[in-house]
């Protein structure tokens, strides 16, 4: 699958539909149950943020490959007001809403790669990639925790 599957997000049920899509084994047959759960959590957190802070947007999903690595890419895009201070928003327990303020940090910890940016014209663009472990790595014992890259604002559109 080299194209994105798009899930418009305007209601809670829309977020649930995007989460359910990652559970369909025919779409992502190589993912383990744990990986599906992690990606589902990422989709849920990012989709819920769209509903809370922007009213509507979209979640895009696709399978990706890089050499022998396989993974899933999740994009969450909205046209809301954006995040004034991305570094502050990434801190656990920081919130501008009535929440625990743990969502973006959780996404960053669950993803192999995570970027968050707010273009000058508004909106928020989040990109999370979850690389799957190779079967050989899985059989050799516990895997090392995924390496995460700090979210950094990207200027421009």
């Amino acid at each position: 699958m080299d194209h994105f599957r798009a899930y418009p997000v305007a209601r809670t049920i829309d977020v649930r539909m995007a989460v359910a899509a990652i559970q369909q084994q025919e779409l992502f047959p190589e993912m383990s149950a744990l990986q599906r759960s992690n990606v589902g959590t990422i989709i849920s957190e990012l989709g819920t943020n769209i509903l809370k802070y922007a009213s509507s947007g979209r979640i895009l999903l696709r399978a990706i490959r890089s050499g022998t690595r396989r993974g899933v890419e999740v994009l969450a895009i909205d046209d809301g007001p954006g995040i004034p201070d991305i570094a502050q928003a990434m801190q656990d327990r920081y919130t501008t809403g009535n929440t625990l303020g743990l969502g973006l940090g959780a996404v960053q910890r669950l993803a192999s790669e995570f970027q968050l940016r707010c273009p000058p014209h508004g909106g928020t663009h989040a990109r999370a990639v979850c690389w799957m472990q190779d079967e050989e790595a899985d059989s050799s014992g516990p895997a090392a925790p995924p390496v995460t890259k700090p979210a950094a604002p990207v200027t421009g559109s």
Side-chain angles (χ1 to χ4, degrees):
M1 177 202 299
D2 53 345
H3 66 283
F4 283 101
R5 287 186 177 250
Y7 298 87
V9 175
R11 302 170 302 160
T12 303
I13 190 69
D14 299 330
V15 176
R16 290 183 185 150
M17 295 296 289
V19 171
I22 206 67
Q23 302 304 326
Q24 296 177 12
Q25 290 187 341
E26 65 271 10
L27 294 181
F28 303 98
E30 299 153 336
M31 290 178 68
S32 71
L34 177 59
Q35 291 162 337
R36 288 176 193 283
S37 177
N38 287 346
V39 175
T41 299
I42 289 169
I43 293 168
S44 180
E45 289 293 343
L46 295 176
T48 300
N49 280 357
I50 289 172
L51 294 175
K52 285 180 186 173
Y53 301 108
S55 299
S56 67
R58 61 195 178 280
I59 300 283
L60 305 169
L61 304 174
R62 73 174 174 173
I64 57 173
R65 290 187 180 270
S66 177
T68 60
R69 295 191 312 172
R70 300 170 315 250
V72 174
E73 182 177 22
V74 178
L75 300 178
I77 301 168
D78 69 54
D79 296 321
I83 300 171
D85 187 337
I86 290 176
Q88 187 176 38
M90 291 303 302
Q91 294 176 12
D92 280 345
R93 303 205 193 317
Y94 175 79
T95 183
T96 58
N98 190 20
T99 68
L100 295 175
L102 300 173
L104 290 176
V107 169
Q108 183 175 23
R109 286 185 291 277
L110 288 170
S112 304
E113 301 172 19
F114 181 61
Q115 294 90 32
L116 185 64
R117 69 183 187 96
C118 297
H121 62 275
T124 301
H125 299 181
R127 177 181 181 264
V129 172
C130 294
W131 293 109
M132 295 177 231
Q133 295 289 335
D134 290 331
E135 290 179 18
E136 292 176 18
D138 287 344
S139 64
S140 65
V147 176
T148 58
K149 296 180 181 177
V154 177
T155 57
S157 55

